[in-house]
Amino acid sequence: MKKGIILIFSVFFLASMGYKVSAQNAELSGWMSTTDSKRWVDKDMPSQSAPTSSALSIDLNNTKQTIEGFGACFNELGWDALNLVSYTEKQDILQSFFNQISGAKFNVMRMPLGANDYSVDWYSFNETPGDYEMKNFSIARDRLRLIPYIKEALRISPELKVWASPWGPPSWMKTNNYYAGRIPGEGPQRPSMEDLSQEELAELMAQFGGGEGPQPNTDTDLFIMDDKTLTAYGLYFSKFIEEYKKEGIDIFAVHVQNEPNSAQNFPSCTWTPQALNTLVKYVGKQLEQDHPDVEVWLGTIERSLESSVDPILSDPEATKYLTGVGFQWAGKGVVGYINETYPQFKLMQTESECGTGSNDWAAMEYTFSLMKHYFANGVSTYEYWNPILTNGKSTWGWLQNSLVTITDDLSVRYNPEFYLMKHFSYYVKPDAKYLDLNTDENCVAFLNPDNEVVVIYLNQTDEAVSKSFEVGGSKVSVDIPANSLNTFTIDI
């Protein structure tokens, strides 16, 4: 089995002042360790090992994009899971996510705009057909779960940033008059995911969940593309932001559609690139008028199709409203192209692939590979999906991973991916710079704004390895344990 470790280094930071960054007399100063059986252990300092012949060079001047942060998604089923445990346990879990001193320091969180697959059931903010003026718009449903959830997080971390995306519009705005992209009994159906094996689930994920399998629905619009419906939908976005502001929750950005090319059996809506381009303009115009401080993003892109994004990003009438592009699932295949072709846009990883409920060390290793890929291709923010669940199953039957699990006996279990996220988010600070290491080795590096370099290194062997890192002409060498996830700090 492949195993992971993380290394953290520190260095005096002068790059932001225009100076070349150099480092001498590197010294190992700290060690945090995680294994599958012992998590987040502050270990005594080891003796320095002899330098190895092949050192990994860390060029402190080879900086790329600015990092904005890490987080996950507020979902209804997550709030229900939190309320199964005692008040003290609930607060401990929330602190573990949002405390900016001892927790994972999550600072950017997603939420659904209306129902998603981890809502308790389907709803929208206005199911009154023909209410183009949004007279019956209401967020009363969100006051039951999502708003209390977000307010608890804001109480712990008042600077927390929240963005939203719809999984679908009100059902009456769709051509099929149905919340999902697939009506039961009509057309090719996604099979029920109840009682499927892990292998069958993985195959379904590849076909329908944004994997590398078939890519349907790129030529189908499920939204009613007329002016009055599009105008009403733009107003729907605006009303959502306005009503949340009244609750004391500022929405800093919206992504116009979750997975626009996937017709799911849960809330979903497909858009052709041309229709999505039109939507960006309607939403952008409405928010420019009502909420000019709220960012509009093209997201969340879940297919590896350049043709699904080029028509929007090459249209100046649309891009004048856009801040960035969000990617998830097979969108990872196009993120590099967007980074190179449209460097003016920020990039965000919006939903880490959710697995099949295994919540094991192998899932953590795979997520590490995703993080490495996305940061190497220009993303500024990386977000997990469900921070907490009970049995992991969505309302529509898909068993998925989470950072924390509430077990059947109501005990609290922190899964390996929680510690992976924390090894990044605890040490990589907002406004850090990604460092391009120009290597195929399993490592990721960042330059913090406060005199630290963060290097995350994945050891994929089952044995201890000796490794040297060269920073500004100085070598730091360490014997890395087998089967472990580690954070080392090195003073320069």
Side-chain angles (χ1 to χ4, degrees):
M1 180 184 294
K2 299 177 181 178
K3 307 299 174 183
I5 64 108
I6 290 182
L7 305 176
I8 308 287
F9 302 87
S10 62
V11 64
F12 186 68
F13 175 57
L14 293 173
S16 63
M17 300 174 62
Y19 297 105
K20 293 291 184 180
V21 180
S22 61
Q24 296 179 354
N25 303 319
E27 182 180 357
L28 191 64
S29 62
W31 180 9
M32 187 67 70
S33 180
T34 295
T35 67
D36 205 10
S37 59
K38 294 182 179 180
R39 316 287 174 81
W40 203 253
V41 178
D42 192 357
K43 298 178 70 71
D44 294 334
M45 296 303 300
S47 301
Q48 289 280 358
S49 62
T52 60
S53 57
S54 59
L56 176 62
S57 177
I58 301 170
D59 184 352
L60 304 180
N61 297 293
N62 197 11
T63 58
K64 299 296 183 179
Q65 73 271 20
T66 300
I67 304 304
E68 298 196 0
F70 301 83
C73 186
F74 294 112
N75 287 324
E76 285 194 336
L77 292 186
W79 181 247
D80 282 359
L82 276 167
N83 283 288
L84 291 174
V85 299
S86 70
Y87 175 82
T88 299
E89 289 172 317
K90 176 181 175 180
Q91 295 305 315
D92 287 345
I93 294 167
L94 289 166
Q95 291 285 342
S96 76
F97 296 146
F98 302 112
N99 189 293
Q100 298 298 304
I101 297 175
S102 59
K105 302 183 183 180
F106 287 170
N107 67 324
V108 184
M109 292 288 290
R110 182 184 189 180
M111 68 167 293
L113 203 163
N116 66 2
D117 46 326
Y118 275 82
S119 297
V120 171
D121 51 31
W122 157 252
Y123 72 99
S124 81
F125 298 128
N126 189 349
E127 281 299 302
T128 304
D131 184 9
Y132 299 106
E133 296 180 357
M134 291 291 127
K135 293 180 179 178
N136 294 289
F137 184 95
S138 173
I139 61 168
R141 166 64 175 262
D142 284 8
R143 294 190 182 98
L144 300 176
R145 295 179 178 87
L146 290 179
I147 289 174
Y149 195 175
I150 296 168
K151 285 185 174 180
E152 281 288 284
L154 288 170
R155 180 181 57 81
I156 297 168
S157 180
E159 301 303 315
L160 183 71
K161 298 172 65 177
V162 180
W163 63 273
S165 62
W167 267 242
S171 58
W172 56 271
M173 294 184 177
K174 296 176 64 180
T175 59
N176 65 0
N177 196 33
Y178 188 62
Y179 68 82
R182 297 172 183 268
I183 299 176
E186 294 186 9
Q189 296 298 300
R190 184 182 208 165
S192 171
M193 288 176 281
E194 297 286 345
D195 303 319
L196 293 180
S197 69
Q198 295 292 302
E199 291 76 16
E200 291 168 325
L201 279 169
E203 182 178 354
L204 285 177
M205 289 164 61
Q207 292 178 351
F208 298 100
E212 299 296 345
Q215 300 184 353
N217 313 118
T218 57
D219 59 352
T220 303
D221 288 322
L222 282 178
F223 192 87
I224 298 171
M225 296 297 295
D226 60 31
D227 178 70
K228 65 180 180 180
T229 309
L230 284 159
T231 299
Y233 198 30
L235 186 58
Y236 184 87
F237 277 81
S238 179
K239 289 278 191 181
F240 164 76
I241 295 165
E242 178 183 339
E243 292 302 311
Y244 260 72
K245 186 179 291 288
K246 291 177 183 177
E247 295 288 335
I249 299 170
D250 290 327
I251 303 299
F252 87 90
V254 294
H255 293 228
V256 292
Q257 172 63 51
N258 178 73
E259 301 190 348
N261 297 308
S262 295
Q264 310 282 16
N265 68 336
F266 46 80
S268 51
C269 186
T270 57
W271 303 72
T272 62
Q274 293 73 26
L276 199 61
N277 187 33
T278 300
L279 175 64
V280 167
K281 295 173 185 177
Y282 272 84
V283 173
K285 182 178 180 181
Q286 187 73 54
L287 297 193
E288 183 179 60
Q289 171 185 302
D290 299 342
H291 307 285
D293 57 331
V294 176
E295 299 172 5
V296 178
W297 286 60
L298 177 62
T300 57
I301 304 302
E302 87 290 15
R303 300 290 179 190
S304 182
L305 296 171
E306 296 173 7
S307 59
S308 70
V309 289
D310 272 329
I312 302 110
L313 298 183
S314 61
D315 181 358
E317 292 303 308
T319 57
K320 68 181 181 180
Y321 298 117
L322 290 175
T323 297
V325 188
F327 305 88
Q328 57 196 51
W329 290 91
K332 64 179 178 280
V334 76
V335 63
Y337 166 79
I338 300 302
N339 188 37
E340 293 178 2
T341 309
Y342 305 100
Q344 67 270 36
F345 294 111
K346 292 182 180 181
L347 306 179
M348 180 187 298
Q349 192 289 135
T350 46
E351 180 184 308
S352 195
E353 296 177 31
C354 58
T356 57
S358 65
N359 290 313
D360 57 9
W361 193 264
M364 180 277 292
E365 293 175 331
Y366 179 67
T367 301
F368 174 90
S369 73
L370 293 175
M371 298 179 85
K372 172 179 166 59
H373 171 81
Y374 276 105
F375 283 118
N377 284 282
V379 303
S380 297
T381 304
Y382 193 97
E383 294 182 277
Y384 196 77
W385 175 218
N386 276 297
I388 182 168
L389 293 171
T390 51
N391 62 16
K393 189 170 289 186
S394 77
T395 301
W396 283 264
W398 188 348
L399 185 65
Q400 301 180 13
N401 292 348
S402 60
L403 298 179
V404 175
T405 299
I406 306 300
T407 65
D408 291 341
D409 64 358
L410 301 186
S411 62
V412 179
R413 185 180 71 225
Y414 288 80
N415 298 316
E417 286 175 286
F418 169 82
Y419 295 95
L420 173 63
M421 288 295 294
K422 187 173 181 179
H423 272 286
F424 275 82
S425 60
Y426 185 87
Y427 291 97
V428 181
K429 299 173 182 177
D431 296 325
K433 298 286 187 180
Y434 175 75
L435 285 168
D436 186 355
L437 299 180
N438 294 318
T439 179
D440 292 331
E441 291 195 53
N442 290 313
C443 54
V444 186
F446 305 88
L447 181 61
N448 271 335
D450 59 349
N451 307 342
E452 285 185 323
V453 173
V454 179
V455 178
I456 299 125
Y457 187 97
L458 179 66
N459 176 13
Q460 292 189 298
T461 73
D462 290 331
E463 299 178 353
V465 297
S466 296
K467 190 69 188 176
S468 291
F469 299 90
E470 187 171 359
V471 186
S474 219
K475 279 189 180 180
V476 174
S477 301
V478 63
D479 293 326
I480 300 168
N483 307 334
S484 64
L485 183 67
N486 298 278
T487 296
F488 296 88
T489 59
I490 297 179
D491 291 338
I492 305 299

